[in-house]
Amino acid sequence: MTIPDSGYMMENGSIELPCTPEEEARIIQELISKAESNLREGNTYYVISNRWFRDWQRYIGKPLGAYPFNEDATQSQPFLFPNTASRPGPIDNSDIIIREIDGESDDPELIITLEEGRDYVLVAQEVWEKLSEWYKGGPALPRKMISVGDAKQLSVEVFPLCLNLHDTRDRSHKVIRLSKKASLHELYSIVCRLKGIAPEKARIWDYFNKRKHTVLVASDQTLEDSNLQMDQDILLEVQAEGLLPSGFGFDSTGNDLALVPVEPLRSSVTIAGGPTLSNGFSAGYSSNTYQGSSLSSTYGDIEDGYDSMRPASKGERGGLAGLQNLGNTCFMNSAIQCLVHTPPLVEYFLQDYTDEINKQNPLGMHGELAFAFGELLRKLWSSGRAPVAPRAFKGKLGRFAPQFSGYNQHDSQELLAFLLDGLHEDLNRVKQKPYFETKDSDGRPDEEVADELWRYHRARNDSVIVDTCQGQYKSTLVCPDCNKISITFDPFMYLSLPLPSTVTRTMTVTVFYSDGSGLPMPYTVTVLKHGCIKDLIQALESACCLRTDEFLLLAEVYEHRIFRYFENPTDMLNSIKDDEHIVAYRLPKNVALLTRLEISHRYQDKCIIDSSKASERKLFLTPLVTFLEDPRNGVDIDFSVDKVLSPLRRKAFISPEPAFKDGAENGSPLEKIEEPMNSCTIQFGHEDRSMEYTEPVENSSRGMAFHLCLTDERGTCCRPVVKDTVIQPARMLKVILDWTEKEYELYDASYLKDLPEVHKSGLTVKKTKQEAISLFSCLEAFLKEEPLGPDDMWYCPGCKEHRQASKKLDLWRLPDILVFHLKRFSYSRWLKNKLDTFVNFPIHNLDLSKYVKCKDATESSHVYELYAISNHYGGLGGGHYTAYCKLIDDDRWYHFDDSHVSAAAESDIKTSAAYVLFYRRVKVQQNGVVGGPSSNRSS
C-alpha cells in the first residue's frame, strides 16, 4: 500500500490524513484563545524553532509574524499570505539546540543567544500537543511560566539557570539546569540524588569565579534570591564519617578548587557608617527590620569580595575597576559606569547617605535599590582595579524591574531611566507629600507660572537626583480649531533627542488611474516618520494633483497580488517597510455605490492556451483596480478591463512610451525596461483542478476582447468569463486576465513591471554613514513645533473635544547634570531599525544659552562639558555596550568594556556608537573663561 505524502502511518497500520490548512488554523486559534484565558504560574509552554514555524505559517496561509494570532487578523484579513507552500515536514528544533557531543540528551540545551520572534516562538502546551500530533518531530522543549519581580509578572523561563557543580572528592564537573525560582532545598535534593549522598553530609558553596563566598544553606530561599548567576560554579563538599573532607586546612582559594571552609565575613559597622542589622535588605523585607537610620546587609547582599570594613573614601587610582559581564549585562555595566563616574553622585554615596533613605515611599523600592547602588559605587571607587561582579545589584534590579531580569540584551538608556527614577524615590527626603491643585496659566507671565510649578514639584520631590539631574521645560499646546493655548512647565530627567533623519521619511508610491485616463506614475513624498496613512494620502494627493471628485486607495502589492489595502486612515506608517511595494489607485468618491474590480495578470509559457496546461499559468505584472457601474454580464467586465488598459495601448509607427523605474522623478517616466517573461516564479493554482476550463477558450471567449476568469478571495478557484456570464451584485469582483500574444502586441506591459520600493534602504545606509549631524541639530529637532500623533490627542478645554494639537517644547531650567539620549533605535510591530549616524557633539564648552527661554539673571551658567558616554556598537539583537568615562581628578578619559578598562585619548571618544551623553555644568567667569564644575544646589 502506498502512503500519501500528506498522511501519517498509525501504529495499527491505518493512515491519519491531516485536516485542511484552514481547519488547522481554526483549531490552533481556538487553543490559543483558551490558553490566553488561563494564564497562571506553572503553565507549560514549548519552544519551537521559528524556521519550522514559518514554513507552517506559509502552509496555512497566515502572514509572517501573525503568531500569536488575534481575532482581527483572523477575521478581517483571512489567509492573506499566498497559500502556495506544501505541507511542512516533522517539527525540527535542531537549529536552536546545542548538539551533545556524547549523543542525544534527555534535556537538550538551547543556544543562549536565541531571541524570541527571531529564532523561536513559544506555544502553549495544548498547541504543542496538537502540532506534535499532526507533524511529530521535535525534540520537545518544555518551559514553565514563572512570576518575576515584586509585581509577580508572568513570564516563560526559556533559559533555566545553569550551574557548574564541582565535587571536591574527585574534582569532577557536572552541569545542572533548574529554574531560578527553585529553592535551595531543591538544589540540595538534585545534587544529593545525582551524587548518591545523604543531604545531611552535603555542603554546597557559592563558588562564583572559583572562589568560596557563602555556604548555600538548604532552605526555601530561591536560587535567584541567592544571587546565583547563569553558568556560575557551585562547590560540593561531602563529610565522611563525621570528619571534614580530606585536604581541609589548606587554603586554596585561587583558580583551583577551594578546600578550606571560609565563613562569610560580618562587620560590626556598615559601609555607610551605621550599626549592623542581621538581615537588612533581604528579599523578605519588613519595615520593622530597620531601626532609626541604620542600614546594613548580610555579606551575601553586598558586592562579591568587598570588605565592608574598608573606609568609605576614594582609594588610590579609584574609579578604574571594571564590571564583570554576568551574561549579556554589558548594557547594565555601561549605564552603571556612567552613573558611578558622575561627580555629585560619587560625592554623595561616599558619604553617609543612610539618613536620607526613604523606606516608606510607596513609589520606591524600600531603599534597597539605593543601598545596592551605593554599595556597588563604593566598591568601584575603592583602591584597586580588580573587576567587580555586580551580582547583588543585578539581583535587586531583576526583583524591582523584571524587564531587566534574565540574560537577554536590553537598552542602556531604558535602564538609566529606571535607575534615576528609582534612586530618586528611594532617596526622596519628602516623607509626606503635600497636595497642590495646579492652576492654568491664564495669561500670567511665564516666570511666575514656571516658578510656581517648580516649587510644587520640589515640595513633593527632594533628593540628590532632583538636585543634580532634574530640569524643567516649557510645553505649549495650541488647538487647531479654537486656537486655545495651554502652557505647562514640566520636570525632566534627561532629553531624548531624535536624529533629524528619523523625524521625516521619504516614501515612493506608484499612482494608477482607475478610469484609464493616464499612465501610472511613481511619486516620492516626505512624511512624518511616525505619521499615519492619512498623512501619506494627503502628501500624494498634492503631488499627483488629485481631483476633488477622487480619492486614493492605498494597497501593498506582494508577488503580483494585492496583499492588503490600507483603508484605515489612522493606521501608522511604520507598518510599511522600506522594501515593500505600495500603490495608490485613483477612484471616484462615489465608489461605495459602485462595484470595485480588481484585475490580476497571468501569462503562460509560450502562450499555450490549453486547459490541460492550466498549471503553467503564472501571475505577473501589477494588479489594477477599476470600477463597474451596475455590472450585469461578462461584456461589462470586458469593457472595463479594456478601458483601464487603454493608456498602455501601443500606437502605430510611434515607439512606445518609456517605462518608469526606481528613482524616477515625480510624474516622469524613465527608461523602458525589457525583462523576459519567464522571470516570474509564482506558480498559480498548481494543485487546484477548478482552474481547468470546461470548454475550449476560443469558444468561451467568442465576442470578448480578453481571456478573463472570475476568481475568489484566495485565487484558488477560477471560472472563465464569457459575454453571457451573469454577474451577481457584489462590493468587489476579482478577475484574472490571461495575456496572449495579442495582448503583448497591443499593450506595453513594461508600465506594469518593476514597481519601485518604498525606500531604497541600501542607498540610505550609505548616505547616513557619510553624513554627520550636530548635537545642536538634534536638539532643534526635539524643540521643533509639530502636531501630536493620532494616538496622543489633547483634550481641548475650549472645544471640549480631543484635538490633534500642535506642540512646542522649550528649555526653561537646566540641571547641573544634563543627559542627552540619542534616539538611534525605532521599534514597531513591523519595523526595527538602528541608525549609525555620526553625531558631532562638543566635548568642551557646550553652550545652550540660546535654547533656554528663562531669562532670570540669577540662573546658573548654561555651559557644559562632557564627562561620560554610553556607547552601542553593532545592530539590533547582536550589539555590545561600552562606556567612556572621564576621571575628573586626573583629567583623563578611560574606556570601560565590561571587565576591561583602558586609557583613551580624548580625540577617540567621538564615534557613531555614542548613544547617551552625560554633561556637567561648568562655571563661566566674568571674563568668559571656563572654570571648574558648578556645585551649587538647586533650590
Side-chain angles (χ1 to χ4, degrees), residues 782-822:
F782 172 75
L783 300 175
K784 180 181 178 182
E785 181 178 359
E786 60 182 9
L788 296 175
D791 297 330
D792 191 25
M793 305 282 273
W794 172 60
Y795 183 79
C796 175
C799 300
K800 307 298 182 183
E801 297 285 345
H802 284 89
R803 302 295 187 192
Q804 194 171 0
S806 63
K807 183 176 183 178
K808 175 72 171 68
L809 297 178
D810 294 295
L811 299 181
W812 189 263
R813 179 180 274 106
L814 296 181
D816 289 340
I817 299 298
L818 183 57
V819 180
F820 291 112
H821 162 226
L822 304 179

Side-chain angles (χ1 to χ4, degrees), residues 300-342:
D301 275 339
I302 65 175
E303 299 307 325
D304 294 291
Y306 184 41
D307 182 357
S308 60
M309 298 183 69
R310 187 181 300 278
S313 61
K314 290 184 181 180
E316 182 181 359
R317 308 297 295 171
L320 293 180
L323 288 166
Q324 289 190 26
N325 193 315
L326 304 178
N328 273 336
T329 56
C330 59
F331 78 97
M332 182 182 77
N333 294 345
S334 173
I336 290 175
Q337 291 289 8
C338 293
L339 287 182
V340 300
H341 287 85
T342 298

Side-chain angles (χ1 to χ4, degrees), residues 600-644:
S600 298
H601 308 273
R602 190 169 57 179
Y603 77 93
Q604 294 174 290
D605 293 335
K606 300 179 181 179
C607 298
I608 298 176
I609 306 300
D610 185 349
S611 61
S612 64
K613 301 292 185 178
S615 61
E616 296 183 16
R617 300 188 182 97
K618 302 174 183 178
L619 292 182
F620 77 134
L621 304 181
T622 302
L624 299 174
V625 173
T626 183
F627 52 90
L628 300 168
E629 186 172 358
D630 190 24
R632 299 181 180 275
N633 51 44
V635 174
D636 295 332
I637 295 179
D638 190 77
F639 176 79
S640 294
V641 172
D642 180 71
K643 183 178 180 181
V644 76

Side-chain angles (χ1 to χ4, degrees), residues 24 33 320 325 332 351 426 481 522 560 577 595 718 746 907:
E24 283 192 19
S33 300
L320 293 180
N325 193 315
M332 182 182 77
Q351 298 174 359
D426 270 4
D481 292 318
H560 314 292
K577 297 180 181 179
T595 297
C718 190
L746 290 177
S907 58

